[in-house]
């Protein structure tokens, strides 16, 4: 679902020197793979770099990349086994779909709650919880600011 408190979202970003795409990346509540594909004008693909199960969770480290620009986003995710349906966990374990794609595949209407963000001169980081009926993921995404500027 889209963030309904637009004024609060805008206020949280006040004082940061962000380009329009950087503002969108920090606050966007939809799937990031499509958003980045539109920005880079080519398909953004997903690759699971590492995934393991530990302490009742699946930990997942992924890369979003294009053939032209290379990695455009990295993500670290925590998927609690007890809070996700078996069919969701099967797709996570298969490693062939991004978490946003899994949400769409299973027709879950999720909420995305921005937990926080960090802005440095070189990178943007955001952490959010993606949850809905039968699923819950905590995702931290990182974006290179230089990579975003290369498209301008």
């Amino acid at each position: 679902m889209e963030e309904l408190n637009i004024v609060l979202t805008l206020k949280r970003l006040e004082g940061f020197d962000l380009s329009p795409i950087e503002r969108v990346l920090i606050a966007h509540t939809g799937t990031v793979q499509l958003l980045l594909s539109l920005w880079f004008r080519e398909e953004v693909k997903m690759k699971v770099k590492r995934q393991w199960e530990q302490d009742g969770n699946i930990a997942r480290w992924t890369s979003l990349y294009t053939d032209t620009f290379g990695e455009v986003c990295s993500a670290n995710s925590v998927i609690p086994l007890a809070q996700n349906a078996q069919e969701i966990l099967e797709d996570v374990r298969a490693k062939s779909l991004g978490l946003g794609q899994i949400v769409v595949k299973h027709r879950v209407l999720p909420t995305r709650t921005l937990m926080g963000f960090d802005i440095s001169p070189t990178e943007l980081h955001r952490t959010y919880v993606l949850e809905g009926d039968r699923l819950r993921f905590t995702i931290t995404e990182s974006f290179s600011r230089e990579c975003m500027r290369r498209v301008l």
Side-chain angles (χ1 to χ4, degrees), residues 53-147:
E53 294 189 32
Q54 182 178 336
D55 301 327
N57 296 303
I58 297 174
R60 185 182 230 209
W61 179 24
T62 58
S63 174
L64 295 179
Y65 66 95
T66 74
D67 292 334
T68 303
F69 293 93
E71 185 173 89
V72 297
C73 173
S74 64
N76 296 308
S77 305
V78 177
I79 299 107
L81 298 175
Q83 294 179 303
N84 287 277
Q86 199 57 43
E87 65 271 14
I88 303 288
L89 295 173
E90 287 172 11
D91 279 338
V92 171
R93 288 179 176 124
K95 302 179 188 176
S96 60
L97 297 172
L99 297 180
Q101 292 170 322
I102 291 171
V103 169
V104 171
K105 175 185 175 184
H106 292 280
R107 298 183 175 156
V108 174
L109 181 60
T111 58
R112 290 170 175 84
T113 304
L114 182 63
M115 302 306 289
F117 59 87
D118 183 47
I119 299 167
S120 77
T122 59
E123 290 187 321
L124 305 175
H125 304 276
R126 71 175 184 164
T127 299
Y128 60 98
V129 174
L130 180 61
E131 61 187 331
D133 182 40
R134 308 180 329 264
L135 68 80
R136 180 182 172 90
F137 310 139
T138 300
I139 303 168
T140 299
E141 295 168 331
S142 300
F143 307 92
S144 160
R145 296 183 85 180
E146 179 58 35
C147 187

Side-chain angles (χ1 to χ4, degrees), residues 5-19 22-24 26-27 114 117-119 145:
N5 194 335
I6 294 168
V7 173
L8 177 62
T9 301
L10 291 169
K11 192 165 198 64
R12 287 180 79 179
L13 297 177
E14 281 180 3
F16 294 101
D17 183 26
L18 299 172
S19 71
E22 291 173 333
R23 282 194 307 275
V24 170
I26 287 292
L114 182 63
F117 59 87
D118 183 47
I119 299 167
R145 296 183 85 180

